[in-house]
Amino acid sequence: MNDQIEVSYRFPPGVDAGRQARVIAVGQTAGSWDARFQHREAQLREHLAEVLSVEPLSDGSHAAKVAFPRANVSGDIGSLLTMIFGKYSLGGPAKVIRLKLPDDYGLRPRFGIQGIRERLGVQDRPLVMAIFKPALGLSADDHAEILREVAFAGLDIIKDDEILPDLSEAPTIERVRACRRVIEEVGRETGREPVYAVNLSGRADQLLAQARMLVAEGANALLLNVLPYGYAVLEALATDPSVQVPIFTHPALAGAWCAAPDHGFDYGVVLGTLIAHAGADAVLYPAHYGSLPFAAETEADIRDILRGRGVFPVPSAGIHPGVVPRALWDYGKDVILNAGGGIMDHPEGPAAGVKAFFEALDRAVPGQAFRLQDVPEGPLRTALVRWGVA
Amino acid sequence: MNDQIEVSYRFPPGVDAGRQARVIAVGQTAGSWDARFQHREAQLREHLAEVLSVEPLSDGSHAAKVAFPRANVSGDIGSLLTMIFGKYSLGGPAKVIRLKLPDDYGLRPRFGIQGIRERLGVQDRPLVMAIFKPALGLSADDHAEILREVAFAGLDIIKDDEILPDLSEAPTIERVRACRRVIEEVGRETGREPVYAVNLSGRADQLLAQARMLVAEGANALLLNVLPYGYAVLEALATDPSVQVPIFTHPALAGAWCAAPDHGFDYGVVLGTLIAHAGADAVLYPAHYGSLPFAAETEADIRDILRGRGVFPVPSAGIHPGVVPRALWDYGKDVILNAGGGIMDHPEGPAAGVKAFFEALDRAVPGQAFRLQDVPEGPLRTALVRWGVA
């Protein structure tokens, strides 16, 4: 069975799921053939997919599971996507709700949970991550100044806003150089270098060359908008011998693939399975604590898929110190808590924002919401007053 | 105004479109900032987008137009997608229905309509294109044999099925070498070499290296599944100095981006505007003549966007000789008629399938469906009996 790729599709009520599953099994593989190809009958049959099951779901829709031969694809995500949903996506409504790949299909993270922990020398707690804000309009020196403030407060990881590409008025290389000096300064004084995931952009060839150049200039992590740029770009980065740093992926555009009820993919497939087999080390995705309409089960699904391949889960959006008890309950220690406003907008400044997180990690009992009366004056209390508890 | 990127979003009934447009204009650009960044106020303001209009549509939904500063993106499609819909796509329902880019944004085709016509030496009629079938399971020699048959019948262009990647049992390079010999043979005997668009696959770095190698080995056109691999890969191919051949794109996976009513993108944005600014020479997309649920207006929209940048439109799926009068009415001469089964499954074989198309082009009066009684015995009549008229 290790040579099969199992895909589950959900068809909305009114669609003949059994018939559509057979259309997929034939139309997305060898198709039909006539007498002229009798001499290739054996080879052709080997490429056909097989409908494993068709089952009704409680809402009147149906789920069908189709097994594709691994021999139909070239081991990458691009040919996989083309096979499982390429032309068929242009037909009637259907949603890819589950994808099961052979363990050795595609890539594994080069760093992942263990490698990122080793780089930071932190094994026993969640990691705390921040985002440079405002997203656009700052100089490289502004970035360095912000980094200095949060890094000396103990921050583990920081990243560019995903919306910041390589701009002539704010070249990426200048940001890396300015922040590299701060990283080394922090390393000298504290014995530990913070990780800065710098955002990549450009045509595939430019982006790959940029990544190599940035790493050569001292970048110690990269950020990729994997859906706007393509899984093929992530795969190239993750196997590039000159790019020996962790790769963080951002979920920008995932809603265009996943948010519709009866089309596209489940988030677990796009932000979980596909990214985990494309070589990412740490994957950002919406947390259900925040303002985005994300279900707890969706988040848990992504978390489990990523961890199953040693990839660091990075729930994001709406993360602030008040959610730490819930996050510890949901994740335990193997999680990166990624806060944007939840650090940068702390009323006493970003350094206090970082300290509030560490205070929260110290005080939190997993699953027990903070009670304001138990928390003494200080950065955590200020954060709880500002953002509440969850 | 040439420094603005205008994006129209449709929000379904019940959504406060004005409020959401403002959320996009701020949240997808500089975001908000506090007193600490007063010294950057001018730079920050320059990056904010502007809501140009909010209008009710007849079905109770609303369309909002937002103008983004061009200075926020790095000139590629990846940073553009991240800006216009990246994080916002993870929020509530919204669909990108129109994108207006500055003329000089991104790329133009290196070949396009005129360059492909020059390569073939055909100026005055639609081009006829076929697809190798069955999609999987044939040998390189099978491909060469099929090509010989259709090319000597006068076919202009052939392509791999999009589902055929580089497989160890059927290496792409072998297919190119075997077909190259036929192309040269046809060239010697007829004075005109047919174009064969060979399908690319693999990680971004592998795919680009493969494209260069295949062109060096004589490939005279390429096929890219642009959405499974990413616009960034298309941009890299289209600017690669070693890849001086036309690039055809396939719409595989476009339904996952576009088919949902209230999420993702309109097809015209994804298969029209974005591809036309990413450097494609010829773009395949579903025709409305066939079985796929594609509207005539959607097809016309894509056609006009592509032609506006000199890109060859390639309506596909359900194309057979009986639709030629309608296709001529809809397209005139600047179209590539791409038939899969409509050539390969002709009852008298693929060569007759090609001849039926040329007979149809000779006999057709644009917009007037063929009447069987007017068509003499021969390949066209056989095709009309087999597939009907439209």
Side-chain angles (χ1 to χ4, degrees):
Chain A
M1 295 305 285
N2 206 25
D3 278 344
Q4 290 203 325
I5 292 164
E6 286 183 17
V7 188
S8 297
Y9 302 86
R10 194 181 68 227
F11 301 97
V15 174
D16 182 340
R19 182 178 143 76
Q20 291 306 310
R22 290 190 299 276
V23 166
I24 289 172
V26 174
Q28 293 291 124
T29 63
S32 54
W33 59 88
D34 62 20
R36 293 183 302 136
F37 295 99
Q38 271 177 344
H39 64 298
R40 292 283 179 234
E41 184 84 11
Q43 290 94 324
L44 288 161
R45 283 202 175 281
E46 273 175 20
H47 286 289
L48 288 172
E50 181 188 357
V51 180
L52 298 183
S53 62
V54 181
E55 285 171 12
L57 302 177
S58 58
D59 65 351
S61 63
H62 284 77
K65 196 184 288 184
V66 178
F68 294 85
R70 184 174 181 167
N72 289 15
V73 287
S74 51
D76 61 336
I77 302 296
S79 64
L80 178 74
L81 283 169
T82 307
M83 175 179 75
I84 68 176
F85 207 42
K87 197 187 306 179
Y88 191 82
S89 75
L90 297 159
K95 186 160 185 162
V96 177
I97 57 171
R98 178 64 62 175
L99 169 63
K100 200 173 154 203
L101 294 171
D103 269 357
D104 62 344
Y105 192 94
L107 306 173
R108 286 184 171 277
R110 285 196 286 200
F111 296 91
I113 296 174
Q114 207 40 51
I116 292 173
R117 285 198 174 286
E118 281 166 17
R119 290 215 146 194
L120 283 162
V122 178
Q123 294 292 345
D124 55 348
R125 61 163 174 82
L127 301 179
V128 180
M129 176 166 172
I131 309 169
F132 284 113
K133 303 270 178 191
L136 293 160
L138 299 187
S139 69
D141 286 342
D142 290 336
H143 281 262
E145 202 43 58
I146 293 168
L147 177 58
R148 181 174 287 110
E149 190 171 350
V150 289
F152 276 115
L155 184 77
D156 299 304
I157 306 167
I158 196 163
K159 74 167 189 73
D160 283 335
D161 196 283
E162 83 283 355
I163 214 154
L164 177 61
D166 195 18
L167 301 178
S168 55
E169 73 161 38
T172 303
I173 180 62
E174 288 186 12
R175 213 155 55 241
V176 165
R177 285 179 181 147
C179 289
R180 180 72 223 166
R181 287 191 289 272
V182 175
I183 288 169
E184 289 174 1
E185 179 188 335
V186 174
R188 281 192 303 274
E189 298 200 18
T190 70
R192 197 175 69 103
E193 293 194 342
V195 165
Y196 163 31
V198 58
N199 192 31
L200 301 173
S201 59
R203 303 183 321 235
D205 57 323
Q206 293 173 325
L207 188 151
L208 296 173
Q210 183 195 39
R212 290 180 204 115
M213 183 269 287
L214 294 173
V215 170
E217 292 274 349
N220 62 7
L222 301 172
L223 177 69
L224 179 69
N225 292 307
V226 58
L227 297 172
Y229 285 97
Y231 289 101
V233 173
L234 173 57
E235 294 171 304
L237 286 170
T239 51
D240 193 307
S242 305
V243 180
Q244 296 287 352
V245 300
I247 302 166
F248 289 68
T249 60
H250 190 278
L253 209 63
W257 292 48
C258 303
D262 294 327
H263 297 81
F265 298 82
D266 264 15
Y267 281 109
V269 176
V270 165
L271 298 178
T273 312
L274 292 170
I275 291 191
H277 286 260
D281 295 291
V283 174
L284 282 72
Y285 54 88
H288 79 281
Y289 316 120
S291 54
L292 291 172
F294 228 67
E297 314 84 71
T298 308
E299 186 181 342
D301 188 36
I302 297 172
R303 173 197 66 199
D304 294 343
I305 292 168
L306 295 176
R307 281 192 183 151
R309 284 180 84 77
V311 181
F312 233 138
V314 192
S316 305
I319 303 288
H320 57 77
V323 305
V324 168
R326 271 178 67 186
L328 286 175
W329 179 261
D330 289 337
Y331 283 90
K333 74 181 172 78
D334 280 339
V335 62
I336 298 175
L337 298 171
N338 176 33
I343 286 178
M344 293 296 167
D345 294 344
H346 190 285
E348 293 153 15
V354 174
K355 287 175 185 157
F357 266 95
F358 284 109
E359 200 181 333
L361 287 172
D362 281 344
R363 289 184 174 274
V365 177
Q368 290 187 19
F370 289 120
R371 296 186 311 174
L372 205 56
Q373 64 265 38
D374 299 337
V375 180
E377 289 296 322
L380 175 57
R381 188 181 171 93
T382 306
L384 298 181
V385 170
R386 167 76 175 77
W387 289 297
V389 297
Chain B
M1 296 302 285
N2 205 27
D3 278 343
Q4 289 203 326
I5 292 164
E6 284 182 18
V7 187
S8 297
Y9 302 86
R10 195 183 66 228
F11 301 97
V15 174
D16 182 340
R19 181 178 143 77
Q20 291 305 310
R22 291 190 298 276
V23 166
I24 290 172
V26 175
Q28 293 292 124
T29 63
S32 54
W33 57 88
D34 61 21
R36 292 182 303 135
F37 295 99
Q38 272 178 342
H39 64 298
R40 292 284 179 234
E41 185 85 10
Q43 290 94 323
L44 288 162
R45 284 202 174 281
E46 273 175 21
H47 287 289
L48 288 173
E50 183 188 357
V51 179
L52 297 183
S53 63
V54 180
E55 286 171 11
L57 303 177
S58 59
D59 64 352
S61 63
H62 284 76
K65 195 184 288 184
V66 178
F68 294 85
R70 184 176 182 166
N72 289 14
V73 286
S74 52
D76 60 336
I77 302 296
S79 63
L80 179 72
L81 283 168
T82 306
M83 176 179 75
I84 69 176
F85 207 43
K87 197 187 308 179
Y88 191 81
S89 75
L90 297 159
K95 187 160 183 163
V96 177
I97 56 172
R98 179 63 64 176
L99 169 64
K100 200 173 155 205
L101 294 171
D103 269 357
D104 62 345
Y105 192 93
L107 306 173
R108 287 184 171 275
R110 285 196 286 200
F111 297 90
I113 296 174
Q114 208 39 51
I116 292 173
R117 286 197 175 286
E118 281 166 17
R119 291 215 146 193
L120 284 162
V122 177
Q123 294 293 345
D124 55 349
R125 60 164 173 82
L127 302 179
V128 180
M129 177 165 170
I131 309 170
F132 284 113
K133 302 269 179 191
L136 293 159
L138 300 186
S139 70
D141 286 344
D142 290 337
H143 282 262
E145 203 43 59
I146 293 168
L147 177 58
R148 181 174 286 110
E149 190 170 350
V150 290
F152 277 114
L155 185 77
D156 299 304
I157 306 167
I158 197 164
K159 74 167 189 74
D160 284 334
D161 196 282
E162 83 282 356
I163 214 154
L164 177 60
D166 195 18
L167 302 179
S168 54
E169 72 161 40
T172 303
I173 179 63
E174 288 185 12
R175 212 155 56 242
V176 165
R177 285 180 181 145
C179 289
R180 180 73 222 164
R181 288 192 289 272
V182 175
I183 289 170
E184 289 174 1
E185 180 189 335
V186 175
R188 282 192 303 273
E189 297 199 19
T190 70
R192 198 176 67 104
E193 294 194 341
V195 165
Y196 163 32
V198 58
N199 192 32
L200 301 172
S201 58
R203 303 182 321 234
D205 57 324
Q206 293 173 325
L207 187 151
L208 296 172
Q210 183 195 40
R212 290 180 204 116
M213 183 269 288
L214 294 173
V215 169
E217 292 274 349
N220 61 8
L222 301 172
L223 177 70
L224 179 69
N225 292 307
V226 59
L227 296 172
Y229 286 97
Y231 289 100
V233 172
L234 173 57
E235 294 171 303
L237 286 170
T239 51
D240 193 308
S242 304
V243 179
Q244 296 287 352
V245 300
I247 301 165
F248 289 67
T249 61
H250 190 278
L253 209 64
W257 291 49
C258 302
D262 294 327
H263 297 82
F265 298 82
D266 264 14
Y267 281 109
V269 176
V270 165
L271 298 177
T273 312
L274 292 171
I275 292 190
H277 286 261
D281 295 292
V283 174
L284 282 71
Y285 55 88
H288 78 282
Y289 315 121
S291 54
L292 291 173
F294 228 68
E297 314 85 70
T298 307
E299 185 181 343
D301 188 35
I302 297 172
R303 173 197 68 199
D304 295 343
I305 292 169
L306 295 176
R307 281 190 183 153
R309 285 180 83 77
V311 181
F312 233 138
V314 193
S316 306
I319 302 289
H320 57 78
V323 307
V324 167
R326 271 178 68 186
L328 287 175
W329 179 262
D330 289 337
Y331 283 90
K333 75 181 171 79
D334 280 339
V335 63
I336 298 176
L337 298 170
N338 176 34
I343 285 178
M344 293 297 168
D345 295 342
H346 190 284
E348 293 153 16
V354 175
K355 287 175 185 157
F357 266 96
F358 284 109
E359 201 180 332
L361 287 171
D362 281 345
R363 290 185 175 274
V365 177
Q368 289 187 20
F370 289 121
R371 297 186 309 174
L372 206 56
Q373 64 266 38
D374 298 339
V375 180
E377 290 295 324
L380 175 58
R381 188 181 171 92
T382 306
L384 298 181
V385 170
R386 168 75 175 78
W387 288 297
V389 298

